[in-house]
Amino acid sequence: GAGVSQSPSNKVTEKGKDVELRCDPISGHTALYWYRQSLGQGLEFLIYFQGNSAPDKSGLPSDRFSAERTGGSVSTLTIQRTQQEDSAVYLCASSFPVAGGPSFSYNEQFFGPGTRLTVL
Amino acid sequence: TQLLEQSPQFLSIQEGENLTVYCNSSSVFSSLQWYRQEPGEGPVLLVTVVTGGEVKKLKRLTFQFGDARKDSSLHITAAQTGDTGLYLCAGAPRGSTLGRLYFGRGTQLTVWP
C-alpha cells in the first residue's frame, strides 16, 4: 500500500520568504509527527498530532514555525520568514496503535522521504 | 537533556567485525524501537522490543531490551558494507500521555570493505 508521502521533495527559497511543506500520512494512522534533521545529525522533534487531541508543539523552535492537520489526515508545516538556519531535511512520520498492547504504547513510525529545505 | 542516550555517536569498522550500539535512559519504557536510516531516505523500523530481558534476532542483528526496561542494545555480527547507516533508538516512556515517541541522537555506522 501507499506509504507516507511528502511534498515537495526539495525546496529552495530566499531568506525571509514563507514556505509550506506537506505530509500525506498512511491512511488510518492517527498519529503524525514532524521532525527536522540537519546534515549528519539525529532527529529533532517539532510537533506531534494524535487523533483529536491538542497537538504537542513543544518542539517548535520559534513562533515562525506552525503546523496544522486537517481532517485528521494531511498535515502542513509552515515556516514564516525563513532563515538560513532553517535549512534542513524535514521528515514526517505517521503511526497507528499496534493491537495487543495499551493504546499508543508502540507508536511504530513510518517515515516519508523528507523535504530538503535550502534557505539562501 | 536527551531522554535516550545513544553510544557511540560514530562507529567506523571494517567488514567482518562485530559491533554493539547502546541506548540508555533513566526512564522506564513500555517499549523501545530501533530504526535505520540510509542517506537521502527516512528512517525505517527494524524492530520493537516490548518485554524486559527480551532478545530479538534479525539475521545478523541482535536486539536486547534491558531487564528494567531502561536500556537496549543492538549487536551486529560480521558487519557488511550494507549495514552502513544511522541507527536510531526510540521509545515512549511508560505512563506518558498521548504516547509521544522520543528518539536518541543516533549512531552513525560506517562499514568499510
Side-chain angles (χ1 to χ4, degrees):
Chain A
V4 177
S5 62
Q6 292 186 245
S7 60
S9 56
N10 280 285
K11 177 71 176 179
V12 180
T13 190
E14 294 180 346
K15 177 182 174 181
K17 294 285 181 69
D18 297 351
V19 295
E20 282 190 354
L21 312 180
R22 177 187 168 104
C23 172
D24 283 88
I26 292 173
S27 177
H29 278 192
T30 57
L32 188 147
Y33 297 75
W34 283 98
Y35 298 92
R36 180 167 70 177
Q37 187 173 37
S38 300
L39 188 62
Q41 301 297 309
L43 301 179
E44 177 188 2
F45 166 77
L46 296 177
I47 189 168
Y48 165 49
F49 296 91
Q50 174 56 63
N52 295 321
S53 301
D56 178 350
K57 304 180 182 180
S58 60
L60 294 178
S62 77
D63 57 8
R64 296 187 297 104
F65 287 73
S66 63
E68 62 177 24
R69 188 177 185 191
T70 53
S73 180
V74 172
S75 177
T76 303
L77 176 69
T78 301
I79 308 174
Q80 295 179 309
R81 306 181 301 282
T82 52
Q83 304 294 313
Q84 289 183 330
E85 60 263 29
D86 299 335
S87 296
V89 174
Y90 289 82
L91 290 162
C92 173
S94 70
S95 69
F96 191 77
V98 176
S103 293
F104 317 129
S105 64
Y106 301 158
N107 267 332
E108 295 162 335
Q109 300 195 0
F110 295 82
F111 284 83
T115 293
R116 181 174 298 279
L117 174 66
T118 303
V119 182
L120 302 176
Chain B
T1 305
Q2 284 287 117
L3 197 60
L4 287 166
E5 296 288 346
Q6 284 191 243
S7 62
Q9 185 177 357
F10 297 97
L11 196 51
S12 183
I13 61 172
Q14 296 279 169
E15 217 171 13
E17 294 183 10
N18 301 332
L19 66 112
T20 302
V21 175
Y22 299 93
C23 176
N24 297 298
S25 178
S26 57
S27 298
V28 176
F29 287 82
S30 54
S31 65
L32 277 178
Q33 301 163 17
W34 286 92
Y35 293 78
R36 179 170 68 202
Q37 183 180 24
E38 298 185 19
E41 300 180 5
V44 175
L45 179 70
L46 294 175
V47 78
T48 300
V49 286
V50 177
T51 306
E54 180 178 8
V55 176
K56 280 191 174 179
K57 291 184 184 291
L58 188 66
K59 297 184 181 178
R60 295 175 294 99
L61 278 60
T62 301
F63 303 85
Q64 186 162 6
F65 199 14
D67 290 342
R69 300 165 72 169
K70 294 183 178 181
D71 55 85
S72 180
S73 64
L74 158 60
H75 182 79
I76 300 179
T77 304
Q80 299 177 356
T81 55
D83 296 327
T84 293
L86 180 67
Y87 289 80
L88 297 155
C89 67
R94 193 173 61 185
S96 63
T97 57
L98 297 184
R100 182 198 135 184
L101 209 63
Y102 291 79
F103 278 83
R105 293 193 194 277
T107 294
Q108 182 62 54
L109 170 66
T110 303
V111 182
W112 301 98

